[in-house]
């Protein structure tokens, strides 16, 4: 799996940092971020966000937190993914 690096948290000081890539073959976004704390996971897990859809967080998924300051990086990643997937 080849990844195209899009960007990293502009306020990173080293160590783990929120990062965004686009997987080259599938155009999927790949995100690294801070794992959500128990309170946020509970809120996500316990809320029926879509009527009739199961609640909870499946074992193969997780909730991450990406800082708002990374919104421009996420927009860029979406543009890269759309181009790679031939959606524009």
């Amino acid at each position: 799996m080849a990844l195209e690096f899009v960007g990293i948290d502009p306020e990173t000081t080293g160590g783990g940092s929120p990062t965004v890539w686009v997987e080259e073959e599938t155009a999927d976004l790949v995100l690294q971020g801070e794992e959500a704390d128990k309170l946020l996971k509970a809120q996500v897990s316990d809320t029926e966000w879509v009527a009739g859809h199961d609640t909870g967080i499946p074992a193969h998924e997780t909730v991450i937190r990406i800082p708002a300051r990374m919104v421009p990086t996420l927009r860029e990643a979406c543009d890269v993914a759309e181009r790679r997937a031939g959606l524009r």
Side-chain angles (χ1 to χ4, degrees):
M1 161 183 18
L3 298 174
E4 179 176 340
F5 172 79
V6 178
I8 194 167
D9 184 345
E11 294 185 15
T12 189
T13 58
S17 300
T19 308
V20 181
W21 301 267
V22 174
E23 203 279 316
E24 292 183 358
E25 185 176 331
T26 64
D28 290 345
L29 297 179
V30 178
L31 305 174
Q32 175 181 320
E34 180 182 337
E35 186 173 358
D37 61 27
K38 289 181 182 182
L39 182 62
L40 181 56
K41 284 183 179 180
Q43 180 182 4
V44 169
S45 185
D46 296 342
T47 303
E48 184 180 35
W49 298 100
V50 177
H53 194 276
D54 292 341
T55 59
I57 302 168
H60 66 281
E61 296 181 0
T62 192
V63 176
I64 63 170
R65 182 183 291 273
I66 299 291
R69 63 184 169 264
M70 290 197 63
V71 167
T73 305
L74 290 172
R75 282 193 187 107
E76 181 182 350
C78 289
D79 291 343
V80 169
E82 283 182 329
R83 284 192 300 273
R84 192 165 288 284
L87 300 174
R88 36 153 126 154

